[in-house]
Amino acid sequence: MTRTVYVNGDYLPETEATVSIFDRGFLMADAVYEVTSVLDGKLIDFEGHAVRLKRSLDELQMAEPCAKDELLEIHRKLVELNGIEEGLVYLQVTRGSDGDRDFAFPAADTKPTLVLFTQNKPGLADSPAARKGAKVISIEDIRWGRRDIKTTQLLYPSLGKMMAKAAGCDDAWMVEGGYVTEGTSNNAYFVKGNKIVTRPLSSDILHGITRKAVLRMAAEAQMVVEERLFTIDEAKEADEAFTTSASAFVMPVVEIDGTALGDGTPGPIAKRLREIYLDESRKAAL
């Protein structure tokens, strides 16, 4: 079945959607993106994604393509047109095109490119992967220094995913200066003695929308959270570990660099946080 997608004001069959070959998102990854989950046909944490999108645009001196209310309506219409009950809405904004290639930004009045599409993901909430838990490896973090901006510069994270697959694992945690930064597409945590440890916010990691919600919910559930730098060796000695992201929610981690955590199955805190997050997010969905 052909999806309906959105390109610069038009709802089109995916087979008819086009963007200029001179678009700076295509030529230079001069673009930012967001991914919003859909559960029960409703958008999860849309407000947080909209706020972060504006921050990314502002940091790159990129114009907003439309107002937030209009963006919400585009999301909702795509979900309706494509019959999405569980899945994702991908949004990308690029600096657009002035009809040629140049390192310098195009004229300030160049219209940004706005593209959205849906992905149908039945069983997104009741995920077999979450029941099993993920295995991760550690790799060196060699990305650029502004990971807090959600750009489409995802080549190294993609390579990291492939390194993990080659090792028979699910994902990679990146390490810089001896300390874990984050996963290839998620924020990283470990649990020791009922204390949740995760790296503090900075330009070194993405300011995860799911991270923010989960940490708030953990505090409300009287769980202890410590935001500090940590090493892979610390994480390997943990009782349990997990990651958070918009597309996987709370994902238990059961093995790091070949070392099983606990009994090698998803830990109780990760499982409980996943339950709380899904329950609360469904209640607040738009």
Side-chain angles (χ1 to χ4, degrees), residues 21 49 69 89 142 150 169 181 191 213 245 247 249 261 272 284:
I21 64 167
H49 289 288
D69 289 347
V89 181
I142 58 172
K150 196 170 177 69
C169 294
T181 50
V191 181
S245 66
S247 58
F249 312 122
L261 305 183
R272 181 58 182 147

Side-chain angles (χ1 to χ4, degrees), residues 199-222:
R199 190 180 179 108
L201 294 179
S202 70
S203 61
D204 296 329
I205 65 171
L206 182 67
H207 298 192
I209 303 305
T210 308
R211 175 192 187 277
K212 181 178 180 179
V214 167
L215 291 184
R216 173 178 57 79
M217 293 172 189
E220 291 172 353
Q222 307 301 310

Side-chain angles (χ1 to χ4, degrees), residues 21 33 41 52 65 71 111 117 129 139 154 170 186 213 224 264 277:
I21 64 167
Y33 76 103
R52 186 173 62 183
L71 207 55
K111 187 176 180 180
F117 60 81
I139 62 174
L154 298 173
D170 305 291
N186 45 58
V224 179
Y277 178 79

Side-chain angles (χ1 to χ4, degrees), residues 24 43 64 95 100 102 110 133 170 178 183 210 222 234 245 261 267 271:
R24 287 180 61 87
L43 300 164
E64 292 183 66
R95 204 178 301 273
D100 210 339
D102 196 329
T110 300
D170 305 291
T210 308
Q222 307 301 310
E234 277 188 278
S245 66
L261 305 183
K271 289 194 291 186

Side-chain angles (χ1 to χ4, degrees), residues 97-150:
S97 167
D98 61 0
D100 210 339
R101 180 181 182 275
D102 196 329
F103 276 82
F105 291 172
D109 60 353
T110 300
K111 187 176 180 180
T113 296
L114 175 62
V115 173
L116 291 91
F117 60 81
T118 59
Q119 292 178 286
N120 191 35
K121 301 279 187 179
L124 185 66
D126 185 21
S127 165
R131 293 196 296 271
K132 180 182 177 182
K135 297 179 180 181
V136 304
I137 61 170
S138 61
I139 62 174
E140 182 183 1
D141 195 341
I142 58 172
R143 298 171 298 164
W144 82 313
R146 291 302 307 275
R147 297 112 187 216
D148 55 311
I149 306 173
K150 196 170 177 69

